[in-house]
Amino acid sequence: MLHQLLTLLSTPINRNKLSILNYHQVLPQLDPMRPWEPDTNKFDWQMSLLQRYFTPLSINEALDRIEAGTLPPKAVCVTLDDGYLNNLEFGLPILERYQIPATVFVASAFSQGDNMWNDRIIDLIASTASNAIDLNPVGLGNCVPKSTSGRRQLAARVIQQLKYLPINERLEKVDALYAANYNAQETRKMMLPEEISQLSRAGIEIGGHTHNHPILKEMDYQQQLEEVSQNKALLEQWTSRPVTGFAYPNGRLGKDMDEDGLAVVEQLGFRYAVSTDAGYTSKGSNPFALKRFTPWDGVPLKFHTRMVLNLMTKSAAI
C-alpha cells in the first residue's frame, strides 16, 4: 500500500524524466569488504520493485522516447560498470526473470584474465593471512588492521592514493604490493571476451568504459582518444555489434573528466555517455554527460523513496 501511494504521489514529478541506475557487481552473497555491492537477494528485490512500480527501458529506447516526447512515466534504466563475471552468472538471470533491459560498460584491458586494480587491492588486504600487511611499496609501512572495518578502510586509503596515478605506475605499485605479501592468490572476477559476447547475445547492451580504466582528465586529448577507441574497437570485435554507449571511469565531471573527454566520446561516434553525477535525464540533458545514481538502501521502501527523490533535483542539464 505504501509503495502504491508513493507511486501515485510521485507521478507528476516523474513526467519526462529518466533515472539511470549505476551498479557494478551482483554478488552470490554479501561481502564484508564490499558492503556497497548488492548480493543476489538484494538485486532480486530491487529489480522486482522496478518491474512492478517503474518502467524499465534500455538506454537507447529511453533516449528515442525523450527525443520523440513519448517517455513513459517512471522510466528507469539499469547499468553495470566494469565487466564483472558475476554480471553474467548472477545478474543476468535476475534481469531476465523480470524482463529488465540493462547495459554493461566494459573496461577491456581486464577481459584477458586480470582483475581490476582496485579489486586486487581489496582482495589482497582481505586475504593476507598474517596480522601485518606490508604496504611499504605505497609508503604506508606495515599495517595491522584490527577488524574487517579496519581492513576496508585501509583498502580505501590505498585505492585513493593510487587512483590518480598514471596507468603503468598504478599497476606497478599493485604488483609490488602482491610481491611484498607473498603473491596472494587471486580468483578471476572479470568476463573474458567470449563471456562478454555471451552476455551481448542474451540481449544486454555492451558499452565502452575505456581500455585500462584511467582517470581521463589526467590524460591529454590524444591519450584519451587512444584509450577510448581501443576499447570500442575490441568490444565491437568481441560482440560483432556496434558500441554506441560509454561510461566514464569514476565519472565526475570536472574531477574525473572534462570537456576533452566529452569531445573524444562524441568524435568516436558514440550516441551517449554516462557520468556518476547524480540526477536525472530529460530533454535538455547533454547526451555525453548523462547523470546516474546508485540507490544504496537495503530496505524496499527507502529504495523506492530515493528513486523518487532523485527526480526532485534542480537540474539535469550540464
Side-chain angles (χ1 to χ4, degrees):
M1 179 64 71
L2 288 176
H3 286 286
Q4 293 171 337
L5 180 60
L6 190 58
T7 299
L8 179 64
L9 293 175
S10 66
T11 297
I13 301 170
N14 276 279
R15 289 193 182 115
N16 305 313
K17 296 177 182 178
L18 169 70
S19 289
I20 305 176
L21 302 189
N22 179 204
Y23 293 93
H24 289 78
Q25 301 194 57
V26 181
L27 303 173
Q29 60 271 328
L30 291 174
D31 181 350
M33 288 294 289
R34 298 172 174 85
W36 55 87
E37 302 286 7
D39 64 357
T40 52
N41 178 65
K42 182 176 181 179
F43 193 68
D44 187 284
W45 68 249
Q46 289 183 345
M47 296 304 104
S48 175
L49 190 149
L50 293 184
Q51 190 271 337
R52 184 172 182 181
Y53 298 108
F54 292 83
T55 307
L57 301 170
S58 69
I59 296 180
N60 279 304
E61 181 180 358
L63 294 178
D64 288 343
R65 296 284 198 98
I66 289 172
E67 290 172 6
T70 60
L71 188 72
K74 303 180 291 297
V76 63
C77 298
V78 173
T79 70
L80 302 101
D81 286 3
D82 299 333
Y84 287 96
L85 178 58
N86 55 44
N87 293 178
L88 174 66
E89 293 181 324
F90 305 112
L92 178 61
I94 295 171
L95 292 167
E96 290 181 328
R97 181 178 307 138
Y98 297 107
Q99 298 182 313
I100 293 179
T103 301
V104 173
F105 298 105
V106 177
S108 46
F110 306 99
S111 302
Q112 310 291 335
D114 292 331
N115 287 332
M116 297 278 292
W117 68 274
N118 53 310
D119 282 311
R120 295 188 69 202
I121 292 172
I122 293 171
D123 289 346
L124 174 66
I125 292 175
S127 65
T128 305
S130 64
N131 288 328
I133 302 173
D134 186 348
L135 297 179
N136 282 289
V138 293
L140 296 178
N142 293 314
C143 298
V144 186
K146 300 183 182 301
S147 63
T148 299
S149 175
R151 286 179 182 262
R152 194 164 60 236
Q153 292 170 13
L154 185 58
R157 182 180 177 188
V158 175
I159 289 170
Q160 187 60 37
Q161 184 167 317
L162 302 187
K163 182 177 291 186
Y164 291 91
L165 293 179
I167 295 166
N168 290 336
E169 185 178 350
R170 178 204 290 169
L171 296 179
E172 286 170 2
K173 286 188 177 294
V174 176
D175 286 340
L177 285 172
Y178 268 78
N181 289 279
Y182 311 102
N183 294 306
Q185 294 298 307
E186 299 181 73
T187 300
R188 178 169 70 91
K189 286 181 163 59
M190 313 308 291
M191 287 185 288
L192 300 175
E194 57 267 28
E195 292 162 337
I196 294 169
S197 176
Q198 180 183 347
L199 193 61
S200 175
R201 292 194 304 273
I204 300 298
E205 179 191 7
I206 301 300
H209 197 37
T210 73
H211 187 58
N212 292 288
H213 204 276
I215 302 300
L216 289 173
K217 194 171 183 290
E218 300 298 310
M219 309 173 81
D220 64 33
Y221 191 91
Q222 185 60 37
Q223 290 172 323
Q224 293 185 50
L225 189 65
E226 292 170 0
E227 263 291 323
V228 180
S229 61
Q230 181 181 9
N231 175 237
K232 189 176 192 289
L234 285 171
L235 295 178
E236 290 181 337
Q237 175 187 329
W238 296 340
T239 64
S240 300
R241 295 184 180 182
V243 171
T244 62
F246 182 80
Y248 302 99
N250 251 48
R252 290 167 295 177
L253 186 63
K255 182 173 178 59
D256 305 310
M257 80 287 192
D258 54 19
E259 295 300 327
D260 277 355
L262 275 62
V264 163
V265 172
E266 184 174 9
Q267 178 182 335
L268 290 173
F270 288 92
R271 180 185 185 186
Y272 71 86
V274 293
S275 69
T276 57
D277 291 313
Y280 58 83
T281 295
S282 65
K283 189 76 171 179
S285 297
N286 184 336
F288 301 109
L290 301 179
K291 297 187 176 183
R292 293 189 292 175
F293 81 106
T294 301
W296 301 103
D297 304 283
V299 178
L301 189 59
K302 287 185 177 181
F303 175 92
H304 194 162
T305 301
R306 194 175 301 277
M307 292 283 295
V308 173
L309 292 175
N310 179 63
L311 300 173
M312 298 173 69
T313 53
K314 289 184 178 180
S315 175
I318 299 297

